[in-house]
Amino acid sequence: MGSPQILKKRQPASVAKEDLAIRFVNTVAWRLRQAAEERLPTPAALLDWLDENGVRISNDPAELTPDRGGDLQRAQTAYGSAIALRETIYELLVAQIRNVSPAADHVQAFNRFLHHRPAALLEWRAGKFGWHGSHPDELDFCTPIAISAAELMTGPRAGRVKQCGDDRGCGWLFVDESRAQNRRWCSMGDCGNRAKASRHYARIRETRNAK
């Protein structure tokens, strides 16, 4: 039997309102399927995502991608570290959602990212805020992502983090800001509508079978 078909999944319209850490974790679509969809397949794609999401660092981002004249080893180190951070954040948030103790190595790995740049400072450059380390390097961009995740895990909205209940294996995380705290899907325009349509057709089949 072949691998399950990967369905194209659009980012929900509310993505810009999500926490930086949630947006970063959700750069993998269909997490709960056998074949997930990687949306940051290369260092260049990672840097494009960082730029689109307002993560700015003092060193030149172009240095981190070989196809932009950067060093291959630095690019691979930066990319590998970013993906490791993303998966660590996902594991910690899912453990919190399920109300189970996270793996100790995940906590330790996250703390290494969180404390990677304890001397990180806010800097105003060219009309925008960015991160400035005492010795800027290729991992500086991990700082705001790690801080966003730590604030989400420990802040007042920690209990609102949920995972999409779509039965196709969506797996995206979201923060439930609904008053009733009963949001089940990452987006009503995608997984939510599909679930409603599925229930509707199921009721129609039951009605027909009852006749």
Side-chain angles (χ1 to χ4, degrees):
M1 184 180 295
S3 300
Q5 181 182 4
I6 293 297
L7 306 176
K8 288 299 180 182
K9 186 174 180 62
R10 295 174 295 176
Q11 289 285 357
S14 60
V15 69
K17 299 179 182 179
E18 295 282 15
D19 297 71
L20 178 63
I22 294 290
R23 280 177 273 157
F24 192 47
V25 165
N26 287 347
T27 55
V28 175
W30 306 112
R31 272 191 177 274
L32 304 182
R33 291 172 66 90
Q34 184 177 354
E37 180 186 333
E38 174 60 74
R39 297 203 166 171
L40 300 179
T42 64
L46 168 64
L47 291 175
D48 286 341
W49 184 91
L50 292 170
D51 183 64
E52 291 168 2
N53 286 271
V55 180
R56 301 177 180 87
I57 54 178
S58 296
N59 50 318
D60 183 2
E63 296 177 0
L64 306 184
T65 47
D67 57 343
R68 300 180 190 178
D71 178 78
L72 177 60
Q73 186 59 48
R74 291 190 70 206
Q76 291 175 335
T77 298
Y79 178 75
S81 296
I83 298 303
L85 173 61
R86 182 187 68 186
E87 297 311 299
T88 298
I89 293 172
Y90 172 78
E91 294 295 341
L92 293 177
L93 288 175
V94 167
Q96 192 168 45
I97 291 169
R98 296 174 181 172
N99 196 29
V100 299
S101 298
D105 57 340
H106 290 152
V107 177
Q108 293 168 1
F110 180 74
N111 281 333
R112 285 196 292 271
F113 281 105
L114 193 62
H115 293 291
H116 165 71
R117 187 60 60 196
L121 302 172
L122 194 64
E123 181 181 50
W124 180 262
R125 299 179 67 214
K128 298 177 181 178
F129 281 115
W131 289 97
H132 173 75
S134 55
H135 301 286
D137 66 22
E138 62 269 20
L139 297 184
D140 279 350
F141 63 81
C142 289
T143 301
I145 298 172
I147 290 175
S148 171
E151 290 178 343
L152 188 56
M153 293 174 199
T154 63
R157 297 158 66 240
R160 292 175 176 259
V161 180
K162 297 181 180 179
Q163 189 162 31
C164 183
D166 177 70
D167 59 12
R168 294 171 299 174
C170 169
W172 268 352
L173 304 186
F174 61 91
V175 179
D176 185 358
E177 302 287 8
S178 67
R179 180 175 300 178
Q181 285 289 282
N182 60 354
R183 181 177 162 188
R184 297 176 56 191
W185 301 284
C186 62
S187 170
M188 276 303 302
D190 190 347
C191 293
N193 279 343
R194 185 263 175 188
K196 289 174 62 177
S198 180
R199 290 197 302 270
H200 174 70
Y201 291 129
R203 287 194 296 268
I204 292 177
R205 286 195 300 269
E206 290 177 358
T207 300
R208 288 176 178 173
N209 292 336
K211 292 181 179 180

